[in-house]
Amino acid sequence: MSEHSSRTSVHKRSDSTPRSVAALRWLAPLLTAACLLPTPALAQSGGAQAAAAQAGAAAPLVRGLPDFTELVEQVGPAVVNIRTTAKARTARSDNPADEEMQEFFRRFFGVPIPRQGPRQGPPGQGQSEEEAVPRGVGSGFIVSSDGFVMTNAHVVEGADEVTVRLTDKREFKARVVGADKRTDIAVLKLDATGLPAVRLGDVSRLKVGEWVIAIGSPFDLDNTVTAGIVSAKARDTGDLVPFIQTDVAINPGNSGGPLINLRGEVVGVNSQIYSRSGGYMGISFAIPIDEASRVADQLRTSGRVVRGRIGVQIGEVTKDVAESLGLGKAAGALVRSVEDGSPAGKAGLEAGDIVTRFDGKPVEKWNDLPRLVGKTAPGTKTTIQVFRRGSMRDLSVTVAELEAEAAARPASTEPAPAKPAAPATVSLLGLTVSDLSAKQREELKVKGGVRVDAVDGAGGRAGLREGDIILAVANTEITNLRQFEAVVGKLDKSKPVNLLFRRGEWAQYAVIRPGK
């Protein structure tokens, strides 16, 4: 940054009282240090030299402040405003007074007067007609000079017509090439060439604390620039994508616009905000551009995104569970259920397994697994590492294709078990359990286990319920009641014990502390 621009920044900061106070607080230590210098040195320096010394000492305070003007001039022309409309059937009136009232509301309020529905009357009045109704406003950016535009899938979802407006006021009817709801990315095509395009950056080089800006159309205000810093990377919100978290102001209409670093490169696609009011509250999320580009390339090639699947339902591995299992640290993905006939089932995965690596890549958090599997091409044969009952093992799995729309699985109804003939009360764990009949095992599709008939004490505090099926205790697979009693009888009462149990279709772990 030039010296001139640095001084200008200081001048602007002094325009308002609160910022002037802040500036004086920064300068106070410098003034104090100056007062401590020997008097002869001050006398020899002279007025001009003292002023220069003070200016030189103050420079570092503003040297790091960025100037976004060149970035906006460089990237701004490639950022577009997106408007969508949907066709709706409305009542048409032949009454001139009604049409005048409609025009009044359009011109002064920006919206049509609410229609009351078709009125009964002579032929030609109250007829239904199809009308293009404004649906929403968003943002996007041009990724190639031949007219391909990237935006959010939710910006164009349900739209019958998409209009893209450039900063030079040119407008184009856009064709939706494809949209992917899972990552919230869509690609549009404009019938134009020689358009300004953005440069894509490297997300791996992005650092927390780095300055970034967003350009878009919040509240339909074109070409609005907001700035902030990267607050976090790989932020998990339960979605398929690990987001870039920033404190850049993002509001309705910013969706689909670019997140830009100081090199003028797009590093993310603004997609979500954390809000309790519907407006910006200081936290916003952007889709990393490498993830967005991977999806966009598939949309441009085939109009859809192909992902892999192995057929498991997974959950988080908590610290208590990891320690009780001997896993070491809370990492991996807990397999809660395995679909019949799925790649995971054919590979030998079982409920209760903890997936620690997939295709040689570590699974640090539970939602790393669906991302790794999703990126794998269907038909690929790879290795999956699992932690099962105290030891690691490698399984070979062939990845299948994830359906475009996952079919809803019917809710399972737990078969009513026959009344147990000989329940056993285990006071140490606070559980009353019984054997499963052959019919129950067949209906539940389990090889063994015992059923919880009553819960008290430590078992109740750990969250066990009547009807749960205990599959393993202390990393030991349970086949029947006798084995259960033998395993529990050898437990150390002073140490917590892990139980793998099934509730409905889902398997999970509980940690019971017998002494508490």
Side-chain angles (χ1 to χ4, degrees), residues 363-428:
V363 179
E364 296 292 342
K365 301 181 291 294
W366 67 272
N367 45 12
D368 286 342
L369 183 60
R371 292 166 185 163
L372 292 171
V373 175
K375 293 178 182 178
T376 306
T380 302
K381 188 174 183 179
T382 187
T383 301
I384 186 168
Q385 184 185 75
V386 300
F387 181 83
R388 180 185 299 171
R389 288 186 283 279
S391 61
M392 295 287 186
R393 61 184 68 191
D394 291 334
L395 303 174
S396 179
V397 62
T398 302
V399 178
E401 182 178 346
L402 180 66
E403 298 85 354
E405 293 293 336
R409 300 180 62 186
S412 68
T413 55
E414 184 94 16
K419 186 176 181 179
T425 302
V426 184
S427 58
L428 176 63

Side-chain angles (χ1 to χ4, degrees), residues 417-426 431-437 440-441 444 448-454 466-471 478-485:
K419 186 176 181 179
T425 302
V426 184
L431 302 175
T432 301
V433 300
S434 61
D435 268 323
L436 294 173
S437 66
Q440 287 175 326
R441 293 183 183 184
L444 293 170
V450 293
R451 182 185 187 275
V452 177
D453 298 313
E466 179 183 352
D468 290 343
I469 307 299
I470 296 177
L471 303 175
I478 299 299
T479 56
N480 53 37
L481 176 60
R482 180 176 296 180
Q483 185 195 13
F484 177 82
E485 292 175 329

Side-chain angles (χ1 to χ4, degrees), residues 141 198-206 259-261 263-268 288-291 293:
F141 52 96
V198 300
R199 290 186 296 113
L200 305 184
D202 183 357
V203 178
S204 65
R205 297 178 60 189
L206 192 67
L259 185 71
I260 304 159
N261 63 19
R263 291 181 290 275
E265 302 164 336
V266 174
V267 292
I289 196 61
D290 54 348
E291 297 278 349
S293 296

Side-chain angles (χ1 to χ4, degrees), residues 12-301:
K12 288 182 178 178
R13 288 180 61 89
S14 64
D15 288 343
S16 59
T17 303
R19 292 185 178 182
S20 299
V21 173
L24 289 174
R25 289 174 180 171
W26 278 98
L27 289 172
L30 298 175
L31 295 175
T32 302
C35 292
L36 294 177
L37 290 174
T39 304
L42 289 175
Q44 293 175 5
S45 63
Q49 292 182 2
Q54 290 181 2
L61 298 179
V62 296
R63 184 176 297 169
L65 295 180
D67 183 352
F68 301 116
T69 54
E70 292 185 6
L71 294 181
V72 176
E73 293 174 358
Q74 175 185 345
V75 184
V79 181
V80 300
N81 172 276
I82 299 175
R83 296 172 181 271
T84 61
T85 59
K87 294 179 181 178
R89 298 193 67 83
T90 58
R92 177 175 62 84
S93 173
D94 292 333
N95 189 335
D98 287 347
E99 294 302 325
E100 290 178 3
M101 185 62 68
Q102 288 286 342
E103 181 63 20
F104 173 80
F105 268 80
R106 287 191 189 97
R107 296 180 67 177
F108 292 95
F109 293 93
V111 295
I113 185 174
R115 297 184 184 269
Q116 303 300 322
R119 287 190 256 174
Q120 300 297 326
Q125 293 187 2
Q127 296 178 353
S128 180
E129 65 178 7
E130 200 171 65
E131 181 181 7
V133 179
R135 186 187 166 278
V137 177
S139 306
F141 52 96
I142 303 170
V143 294
S144 62
S145 60
D146 56 350
F148 282 98
V149 174
M150 192 183 298
T151 186
N152 285 149
H154 75 260
V155 169
V156 297
E157 182 180 6
D160 292 308
E161 188 176 90
V162 179
T163 302
V164 172
R165 185 172 66 231
L166 276 60
T167 56
D168 59 9
K169 306 306 179 184
R170 285 185 293 168
E171 290 192 355
F172 299 90
K173 298 298 181 185
R175 173 174 61 89
V176 179
V177 176
D180 181 60
K181 292 182 181 179
R182 287 188 171 99
T183 53
D184 198 22
I185 289 295
V187 174
L188 313 179
K189 181 65 172 71
L190 311 182
D191 186 14
T193 57
L195 298 177
V198 300
R199 290 186 296 113
L200 305 184
D202 183 357
V203 178
S204 65
R205 297 178 60 189
L206 192 67
K207 296 181 179 180
V208 175
E210 181 176 337
W211 282 97
V212 284
I213 67 171
I215 306 178
S217 304
F219 305 111
D220 201 17
L221 301 171
D222 285 2
N223 309 116
T224 298
V225 182
T226 53
I229 63 169
V230 176
S231 306
K233 291 181 64 178
R235 177 67 75 199
D236 289 321
T237 62
D239 293 290
L240 192 62
V241 174
F243 287 97
I244 301 170
Q245 179 183 322
T246 75
D247 66 354
V248 179
I250 300 295
N251 283 293
N254 270 119
S255 294
L259 185 71
I260 304 159
N261 63 19
L262 291 183
R263 291 181 290 275
E265 302 164 336
V266 174
V267 292
V269 184
N270 297 313
S271 176
Q272 299 181 13
I273 60 173
Y274 173 82
S275 177
R276 295 180 180 176
S277 63
Y280 172 70
M281 295 184 67
I283 294 179
S284 55
F285 301 101
I287 304 164
I289 196 61
D290 54 348
E291 297 278 349
S293 296
R294 183 178 58 82
V295 171
D297 289 343
Q298 291 193 54
L299 292 175
R300 289 176 62 172
T301 302

